[in-house]
Amino acid sequence: MKKTLIITGGAGFIGSHVVRLFVRKYPDYQIVNLDALTYAGNLENLTDIASFPNYRFEKVDITDSERLIALFKTCQPDGVVHLAAESHVDRSITDPFAFIRTNVMGTCNLLHAAKELWKGAMDGKRFYHVSTDEVYGALTVDGVRFTEHTRYDPHSPYSASKAASDHFVRAYHDTYGLPVVLSNCSNNYGSHHFPEKLIPLAINNIRHNRPIPIYGKGENVRDWLYVEDHARAIDTIFHHGKDGETYNIGGNNEWTNIDLIRLLCKIMDEKLGRAQGTSEKLITFVTDRAGHDLRYAIDSDKLQRELGWQPSLKLEEGLEKTVDWYLANTAWVERVTSGVYQQYYEKQYGK
Ligand code: NAD
Ligand code: TYD
């Protein structure tokens, strides 16, 4: 069936995997990648599908409501998959307002544009909001995991801004009948991940023999999901999720940061032909992150039971694939960390 979908944040880490999956899997869909190309957005992530006839890129900032309304009028989307966000907790601690602008105001602007365009004709439309498990706060009781009914308890400006956006999405459903669906996912890892986040940062630092900063004692626990598994879950939920519902997505892969980094060091020593134990010497314990949540863990039983999705990789397998990608794409890492990749956009599309 022919459809036009706007995917926001499609030049970022998860968004680029979602765009690639949709463009390749659904040749009848027109996929519009809407992205402001902040430091985290990189069109080089999508060179393999950039010339597909069912793909196009629009450089738009979701904080610009007028541009959004105009774009919605010209594109006439049947659906929105919303991933654009400021996504790094440490940056939210130094600049919370950037998170309020993009994650809260930007999401509200998108909801407004969809509501105005679809007014009186909501059938067959869908607004999919991609969110995080961090809205649920920190787990303190062993064995307990976040379900869709866990009370929101965000602690960082990032998670507070995502929580606020989730509430607005539900409010637009309940108040205006906007057809929405939401998901809250655990920590992702995989290719094209900006090297400020733990795993790609550690891979890059190990390669350059630089210290690997571990916050506090490294006892914090995260539930890691391979990014392509997340993209598949988004596809499943977009097409089969029930109107107004929320689905938790997780990898069932809980690791303390220190155990994860020790495993990564082993893999890196092997791949780089270094003696075992070499990379571990780079581990450096540093001052803890303010408000650092102790443990996240997702119960994704609802998604597995109702929609049949399953994570495909254990962390050990996914981490090795991830390391292989980073070692084969060192030029990508150099370009994203130096900002040179932004010239790629100018070459393709002009200033
Ligand atoms: P990312 O930082 O890699 O990418 C974000 C993208 O959004 C970039 O392409 C950036 O240019 C774009 N963007 C930022 N501000 C914008 C604006 N004002 N207007 C238009 N585009 C803008 O993020 P990610 O890790 O790919 O996360 C994508 C989404 O998934 C986010 O909503 C995030 O909250 C959610 N999420 C991420 C994780 C994770 O582990 N990374 C886990 C669960 C949920
Ligand atoms: P991160 O990748 O920033 O994701 P999030 O904060 O969204 O979970 O961090 C993952 C975990 O690693 C988190 O507990 C913080 C920790 N961490 C470090 O110990 N050192 C680092 O340099 C970074 C970036 C994160």
Side-chain angles (χ1 to χ4, degrees):
M1 203 214 298
K2 288 205 179 309
K3 270 186 201 290
T4 298
L5 302 188
I6 291 180
I7 300 182
T8 74
F13 165 48
I14 302 169
S16 62
H17 285 276
V18 174
V19 166
R20 180 175 300 102
L21 176 69
F22 275 65
V23 166
R24 287 185 182 279
K25 188 168 171 186
Y26 302 107
D28 281 352
Y29 290 8
Q30 276 302 316
I31 303 296
V32 181
N33 173 10
L34 185 165
D35 198 297
L37 298 183
T38 67
Y39 77 96
N42 181 2
L43 287 177
E44 266 191 81
N45 294 349
L46 292 165
T47 43
D48 57 324
I49 54 99
S51 59
F52 278 43
N54 63 334
Y55 169 78
R56 88 170 205 259
F57 173 70
E58 293 283 347
K59 188 170 190 284
V60 177
D61 191 318
I62 60 169
T63 62
D64 184 344
S65 181
E66 278 177 27
R67 279 282 319 272
L68 277 185
I69 288 174
L71 184 78
F72 271 61
K73 271 196 189 131
T74 51
C75 285
Q76 295 284 320
D78 306 288
V80 175
V81 182
H82 175 36
L83 295 109
E86 287 292 339
S87 67
H88 190 40
V89 173
D90 294 327
R91 284 178 190 257
S92 83
I93 295 169
T94 46
D95 185 8
F97 286 94
F99 286 68
I100 296 164
R101 280 192 296 274
T102 287
N103 299 359
V104 186
M105 281 306 298
T107 300
C108 290
N109 288 337
L110 276 168
L111 289 165
H112 177 67
K115 167 172 101 58
E116 289 305 297
L117 182 72
W118 297 339
K119 211 179 327 194
M122 302 274 187
D123 271 4
K125 307 293 193 295
R126 173 147 275 188
F127 188 106
Y128 183 164
H129 180 61
V130 175
S131 193
T132 168
D133 61 355
E134 304 194 24
V135 298
Y136 298 123
L139 290 162
T140 47
V141 180
D142 279 355
V144 172
R145 296 184 296 168
F146 299 131
T147 72
E148 290 80 2
H149 301 291
T150 302
R151 192 174 70 88
Y152 274 32
D153 183 22
H155 298 140
S156 72
Y158 165 64
S159 53
S161 68
K162 291 296 291 188
S165 67
D166 293 8
H167 291 317
F168 273 106
V169 173
R170 295 191 181 104
Y172 268 66
H173 175 264
D174 296 349
T175 308
Y176 306 111
L178 195 75
V180 307
V181 67
L182 299 90
S183 59
N184 294 83
C185 187
S186 63
N187 283 64
N188 284 216
Y189 69 101
S191 73
H192 304 90
H193 202 183
F194 195 84
E196 65 183 352
K197 305 277 171 73
L198 180 65
I199 291 178
L201 177 97
I203 293 174
N204 197 30
N205 285 13
I206 293 170
R207 196 170 71 81
H208 290 287
N209 273 311
R210 289 198 292 251
I212 312 166
I214 300 292
Y215 299 161
K217 294 185 184 146
E219 286 167 345
N220 304 69
V221 174
R222 296 292 181 265
D223 177 359
W224 294 95
L225 180 69
Y226 191 58
V227 64
E228 290 177 21
D229 282 338
H230 189 188
R232 272 195 306 107
I234 289 174
D235 177 19
T236 303
I237 294 167
F238 182 78
H239 288 98
H240 306 292
K242 287 198 200 115
D243 182 49
E245 292 283 317
T246 295
Y247 298 86
N248 276 357
I249 312 172
N252 228 355
N253 275 309
E254 282 184 61
W255 284 73
T256 61
N257 292 340
I258 189 65
D259 286 346
L260 165 68
I261 292 301
R262 287 203 176 111
L263 170 65
L264 181 65
C265 287
K266 273 201 192 110
I267 298 174
M268 288 294 285
D269 282 345
E270 226 169 81
K271 301 278 176 187
L272 295 171
R274 295 177 179 171
Q276 279 297 330
T278 310
S279 300
E280 265 201 45
K281 294 198 186 104
L282 298 169
I283 292 175
T284 309
F285 293 97
V286 299
T287 310
D288 208 354
R289 173 187 276 171
H292 197 174
D293 287 331
L294 181 63
R295 173 173 163 252
Y296 302 144
I298 278 276
D299 179 344
S300 60
D301 186 54
K302 175 178 172 182
L303 175 60
Q304 301 197 25
R305 212 173 0 91
E306 293 185 9
L307 305 184
W309 171 89
Q310 293 270 347
S312 72
L313 291 184
K314 297 303 290 175
L315 182 83
E316 292 87 332
E317 303 162 301
L319 205 51
E320 188 159 342
K321 278 165 84 102
T322 304
V323 167
D324 286 340
W325 187 86
Y326 276 90
L327 294 182
N329 289 277
T330 52
W332 180 93
V333 177
E334 302 311 326
R335 285 199 293 275
V336 297
T337 44
S338 69
V340 169
Y341 68 89
Q342 274 166 345
Q343 291 161 13
Y344 174 87
Y345 169 77
E346 287 165 17
K347 246 196 267 160
Q348 295 288 107
Y349 298 91
K351 289 221 181 222

